[in-house]
Amino acid sequence: MNTPTHVPVLVQEVLRGLDAGVPGVYIDGTLGTGGHAAALLEAHPRSSLIGLEVDELSLERALTRLAAFEGRVSLYQSDYRNLPDLDIPWPDVRGVVLDLGLSSFQLDAPERGFSFNSEGPLDMRFDLRNKTTAHKILHKHSEARLAQIFREFGELRQARLLARRVISARKGDGLQTTTQLRRLVEEVCRWRPQKGKVHPAAKVFQALRIEVNNELDGLDGFLERVLRLLAPRARMAVITFHSLEDRIVKRTFLRLAGGEEKSLVRILTKKPVTPSADERAANSRSHSAKLRIAEKI
Ligand SMILES: C[S@@+](CC[C@H](N)C(=O)[O-])C[C@H]1O[C@@H](n2cnc3c(N)ncnc32)[C@H](O)[C@@H]1O
């Protein structure tokens, strides 16, 4: 495997946002290769970190990267959504960070199948123990279900037509790789590169990735359940990369803040924080990032 590095986004904003001025335990629910975790541990020398990551390959990388912080880090291969139920001792947690989606480490590895820019299998699993791959979804789901996935998770206008073409393509063996899928999408959408226009395969790959990894389910429940682990005034910082996820975070924070009986959190970001022009110029993958922060009351 090649070894691209992942550049963490909005690092200073996360550090500032989470800093309640009190040392304690921080949780990184989407550890990746450990970029935000390392920054947090460096910025808070008297704090420790619990890190969760479903992808064993990313976790291995994070283990190496965070070796310098031995004694202050506990890492688990786990879905962040299982965090509140993990059987581990819970000291006062001062902050939680989620940096959702996928990392460059995963995107740039052709064998993971996340990128339409390189030839690879139709995999797209974060958790390699997961039995569902993009190939399975494309070859087993009904036309109606495929159309729904392309429409709801990819916001693709040609969702029904693409679903129909997938059903024909899968009858032979014409839909085995990322580039075969890309070509099919380009044909269906009559793709002509145009400045400022998103490639339709980006939408389709996003949609399949969301479905394979069941990315949207349980995010709202997590934000609510994790509150009981947090010390008063502890903070939750969530970075999202598309509007479907951002909407869930925004609505969940609003619900928790505006509870009919009792407010459980205070929202610290009326509008989401976005990367500076400098960060956007330096890291093209930061473009769509949005950070929202809430504080437990
Ligand atoms: C954007 S990357 C995080 C990068 C990390 N902040 C860093 O600086 O290296 C998102 C990571 O979350 C992981 N992930 C996605 N869904 C997850 C889940 N439900 N539970 C735990 N980890 C998840 C992915 O495997 C990926 O490594």
Side-chain angles (χ1 to χ4, degrees):
M1 185 190 295
N2 57 3
T3 52
T5 28
H6 174 81
V7 181
V9 304
L10 293 166
V11 174
Q12 292 312 320
E13 292 79 354
V14 166
L15 291 180
R16 270 199 303 276
L18 282 187
D19 190 4
V22 187
V25 174
Y26 288 84
I27 296 173
D28 185 339
T30 52
L31 187 71
T33 52
H36 284 101
L40 268 164
L41 287 159
E42 260 159 36
H44 299 274
R46 290 191 295 134
S47 293
S48 55
L49 180 127
I50 294 171
L52 274 68
E53 169 58 57
V54 275
D55 176 13
E56 62 192 67
L57 303 176
S58 299
L59 193 59
E60 266 172 33
R61 280 303 191 87
L63 266 169
T64 311
R65 182 170 192 173
L66 301 177
F69 303 101
E70 210 196 328
R72 296 169 57 205
V73 199
S74 318
L75 304 185
Y76 299 86
Q77 186 182 6
S78 168
D79 191 309
Y80 74 81
R81 291 167 288 200
N82 299 331
L83 171 82
D85 309 319
L86 280 186
D87 187 18
I88 50 180
W90 290 113
D92 270 1
V93 177
R94 299 290 340 154
V96 180
V97 60
L98 287 184
D99 175 19
L100 295 164
L102 82 169
S103 69
S104 307
F105 173 67
Q106 295 163 322
L107 183 68
D108 296 342
E111 67 277 19
R112 303 293 299 264
F114 288 112
S115 169
F116 61 86
N117 284 319
S118 44
E119 173 78 345
L122 289 161
D123 191 318
M124 305 192 196
R125 289 171 300 167
F126 290 145
D127 186 344
L128 298 168
R129 300 166 299 186
N130 182 356
K131 302 244 178 317
T132 305
T133 60
H135 184 278
K136 202 162 186 179
I137 285 166
L138 288 164
H139 286 78
K140 296 270 183 272
H141 278 13
S142 67
E143 185 178 322
R145 178 68 188 133
L146 285 171
Q148 188 186 20
I149 292 168
F150 299 145
R151 187 173 52 249
E152 287 181 11
F153 299 159
E155 296 173 330
L156 187 78
R157 270 198 305 120
Q158 303 85 342
R160 279 180 59 184
L161 184 55
L162 179 62
R164 201 175 317 143
R165 292 295 305 279
V166 165
I167 302 290
S168 331
R170 78 187 188 189
K171 287 185 182 139
D173 65 352
L175 197 51
Q176 303 300 323
T177 69
T178 47
T179 38
Q180 285 173 332
L181 176 60
R182 173 194 173 129
R183 265 185 252 120
L184 187 69
V185 173
E186 287 179 345
E187 235 177 84
V188 167
C189 300
R190 298 168 189 269
W191 169 244
R192 297 274 171 281
Q194 235 177 304
K195 204 167 171 246
K197 234 182 147 192
V198 178
H199 194 295
K203 299 180 179 182
V204 173
F205 275 58
Q206 171 183 294
L208 286 167
R209 207 196 73 211
I210 290 176
E211 176 70 7
V212 168
N213 299 291
N214 196 17
E215 286 179 55
L216 302 182
D217 280 356
L219 171 58
D220 53 350
F222 167 80
L223 295 174
E224 186 163 351
R225 286 186 308 134
V226 80
L227 271 179
R228 73 177 145 86
L229 304 179
L230 302 188
R233 306 213 41 219
R235 294 176 181 178
M236 303 190 273
V238 187
I239 302 173
T240 60
F241 290 85
H242 56 77
S243 55
L244 300 168
E245 250 162 13
D246 180 55
R247 208 173 302 146
I248 295 175
V249 178
K250 180 180 169 182
R251 285 183 184 163
T252 308
F253 279 0
L254 281 172
R255 182 165 53 77
L256 296 173
E260 275 152 30
E261 295 127 45
K262 187 170 179 276
S263 298
L264 300 173
V265 303
R266 193 181 355 265
I267 297 173
L268 303 183
T269 46
K270 290 249 157 4
K271 286 208 169 123
V273 178
T274 53
S276 64
D278 283 353
E279 179 167 5
R280 283 207 302 273
N283 179 8
S284 61
R285 287 184 186 155
S286 70
H287 277 209
S288 50
K290 286 187 176 161
L291 167 68
R292 293 187 186 269
I293 299 173
E295 181 179 87
K296 178 170 168 171
I297 291 177

